[in-house]
Amino acid sequence: MSPNARELSVRVLDEVDTKGAYANLALDRILSEAEIDSRERSLATEIVYGTLRNRAYIDWVIDSLTPRGIDSIDPKLLNILRTAIYQIRFLTRIPPFAAVNEAVNLSKKRAGRNTHRFVNGLLRSYVRRIRELVPPSLEEDPALSLSITYSFPRWMVERWLAEYGLGNTVKLCEYFNSSPQLTVRVNRLRATRQEVADRLAARGIDVSLASHTEVGLVLKGASAVTHIPEFIEGLFTVQDVSSMLVAPVVNPRAGSLVVDACGAPGGKTTHLAELMDDTGTVLSLDVHEHRLRATREAASRLGLSSIKTMLHDATKELSGLEDQVDALLIDAPCSGLGVLNRRADARWRKTPDDIDQLVELQKSILDAMSKCLKPGGTLVYSTCTITREENDDVIDWFLDSHRNFRPSAIANFLPASLVSLGGLRSSNDHSIRLLPFVHGTDGFYIARLTRVS
């Protein structure tokens, strides 16, 4: 018998847990190998991402209903239980008895016949007690309450509470548990935003103008975006609004030499080339050849010939280009804690130690790559995280230790609609921190510096 959506979702989650697989990649591969219809594919996708988003709550339920705790459960059963509880609690269109029965049958298939009694008993107990299983109140323990209710690691919640307060932490949790918008950036060298919007609308896609950018569109009801003719023709590329703000801050001049130090898979690289009218050179660096291949494919699709790629470790100096580059973009590797709604499994991968290690990596990249910038050149540093350590602290360190760099006021390179919402420490500040509950965008950070003689 062919596997159904529930069995496939358990396979994906097992790979995430045991092999450290990325959920989106494992899901795409496993679904592509299975012979199931679109309805089953959609259900499997919903179960995988929904279970990951709500895992803290689900694990708390399992732990509460298991006499010896969640750690005593056979690993072969754990994701069967998790996916069943997700369906019972959050998928109202699925009757609880159906979720229980499917889980029981799957436990027999994956872990032996004797396991089905335990699975059946725990899930039926949950169905009976679902209303009485209430997480601790905010008054008792705010961090634990929010961690269970919204399913985030406690250490993340504690950080947010300390920096943003209770109300904004709740807003952060709600945003990161919401489905992300699908936004695209129009290729200004091939069409106007309105032209692309009209063509997509004619295909039955719900299109609206994205906020804070003149090249962004929000799409609803669009599936298989990469198969849309306008995408294939290079009229647009998929990119988040917050990422669309970075290249304009670089403000590259036509005909100049620009380096994108961590450039693959090419979203910001291609935006830089478009802003330069495809003149000069945008050199995109990465440590992985397959990611550089993606950059070249994007450049070809968008009709951009000014982009060059180079296999290079950005923690090492760019030999031969010392003091030669007009503008440098460092979109640094980071914890990604500003885009958790786009990566359902990321919240469970990160630890505070990871942040410490990333900070050292970010400093190494800034130190090495800054040497290629010519006097008067612009350095832009960006991340998709909201941690102070990876953002302001890194830039403050860099300015303190590299006296040939100065802050460069960023406000003039950002849309007025964004600046008016705040995020800059002063009117002439060199950086902005974007927060979902303030700006309505993903969490992001952009800093602008200038090299002096």
Side-chain angles (χ1 to χ4, degrees), residues 94-112:
I94 295 178
F97 74 85
V100 174
N101 289 343
E102 288 283 350
V104 168
N105 292 333
L106 191 52
S107 69
K108 293 178 183 177
K109 183 176 180 179
R110 291 173 58 87

Side-chain angles (χ1 to χ4, degrees), residues 127-142:
V127 172
R128 290 193 307 271
R129 299 178 56 190
I130 189 170
R131 295 186 181 280
E132 67 182 72
L133 285 170
V134 180
S137 68
L138 286 171
E139 290 73 20
E140 292 177 70
D141 190 331

Side-chain angles (χ1 to χ4, degrees), residues 378-396:
T378 299
L379 188 161
V380 171
Y381 173 87
S382 64
T383 72
C384 59
T385 192
I386 55 177
T387 64
R388 172 184 44 78
E389 298 95 321
E390 297 175 82
N391 294 330
D392 285 331
D393 286 1
V394 166
I395 292 301
D396 288 347

Side-chain angles (χ1 to χ4, degrees), residues 185-186 188 213 215 239 243-248 252 266-276 302 304 307:
R185 187 191 80 237
V186 172
R188 58 185 288 274
T213 172
V215 292
Q239 191 176 37
S243 294
M244 295 181 206
L245 301 171
V246 177
K268 298 178 183 67
T269 296
T270 54
H271 197 184
L272 289 165
E274 290 169 16
L275 291 177
M276 293 163 60
L302 294 166
L304 301 169
I307 293 172

Side-chain angles (χ1 to χ4, degrees), residues 333-337 340 343 346 350 355 358 362 384-385 387 390:
C334 70
S335 61
L337 298 190
L340 292 173
R343 304 167 189 172
K350 305 301 180 183
I355 293 174
L358 284 163
Q362 292 153 0
C384 59
T385 192
T387 64
E390 297 175 82

Side-chain angles (χ1 to χ4, degrees), residues 323-326 372-378 404 450-453:
D323 306 324
Q324 300 298 310
V325 174
D326 296 293
C372 74
L373 199 63
K374 64 171 57 172
T378 299
N404 56 335
T450 301
R451 182 179 172 184
V452 295
S453 300

